[in-house]
Amino acid sequence: QVQLVESGGGLVQAGGSLRLSCAASGRTFSSYAMGWFRQAPGKEREFVAAISWSSGSTYYAGSVKGRFTISRVNAENTVYLQMNSLKPEDTAVYYCAARTSTFLRLAMATSRNYDFWGQGTQVTVSS
């Protein structure tokens, strides 16, 4: 079992930056692929970014590519999402998720392919 706890959300003006953190429990964190998803009010949960266990592979949604960066520090059991040039449309609850299977690009973009989820952290971008 893995427990994931997100933090770092908040209110920021358009053009600003935030860094989200996801702290994981368990000794096997370093073997999991990790992802970030988000869900805005009235919308379905959507993929944001993913990273392989070794950080050798990353994958981004087109809407955030070039603005967001996913990273991880396995020694700290933590995955990060650096968000720059934020836009009002980035407003959502952001969730981190762990996938116990191999990092596969197409699989990482689908929420049902993840095994563990955090409770989410709210990000609000004002215009």
Side-chain angles (χ1 to χ4, degrees), residues 43-127:
K43 295 187 177 181
E44 293 187 354
R45 190 169 298 190
E46 66 172 356
F47 170 73
V48 176
I51 189 167
S52 62
W53 71 271
S54 66
S55 303
S57 297
T58 57
Y59 181 37
Y60 295 92
S63 59
V64 306
K65 195 171 184 179
R67 300 189 297 123
F68 291 11
T69 302
I70 189 171
S71 62
R72 66 191 295 165
V73 179
N74 287 339
E76 298 176 358
N77 277 15
T78 303
V79 62
Y80 300 98
L81 185 68
Q82 177 67 44
M83 306 187 294
N84 298 328
S85 302
L86 283 161
K87 305 175 182 180
E89 51 263 43
D90 295 318
T91 295
V93 177
Y94 282 71
Y95 300 90
C96 73
R99 170 177 161 86
T100 59
S101 302
T102 303
F103 179 97
L104 296 172
R105 174 169 287 213
L106 290 180
M108 300 306 291
T110 303
S111 59
R112 67 174 181 269
N113 293 326
Y114 290 78
D115 303 288
F116 303 103
W117 291 83
Q119 84 291 345
T121 185
Q122 176 71 45
V123 172
T124 302
V125 184
S126 63
S127 58

Side-chain angles (χ1 to χ4, degrees), residues 6-12 18-21 83 92 94 121-124:
E6 301 96 334
S7 61
L11 174 64
V12 64
L18 281 174
R19 188 176 79 157
L20 305 183
S21 300
M83 306 187 294
Y94 282 71
T121 185
Q122 176 71 45
V123 172
T124 302

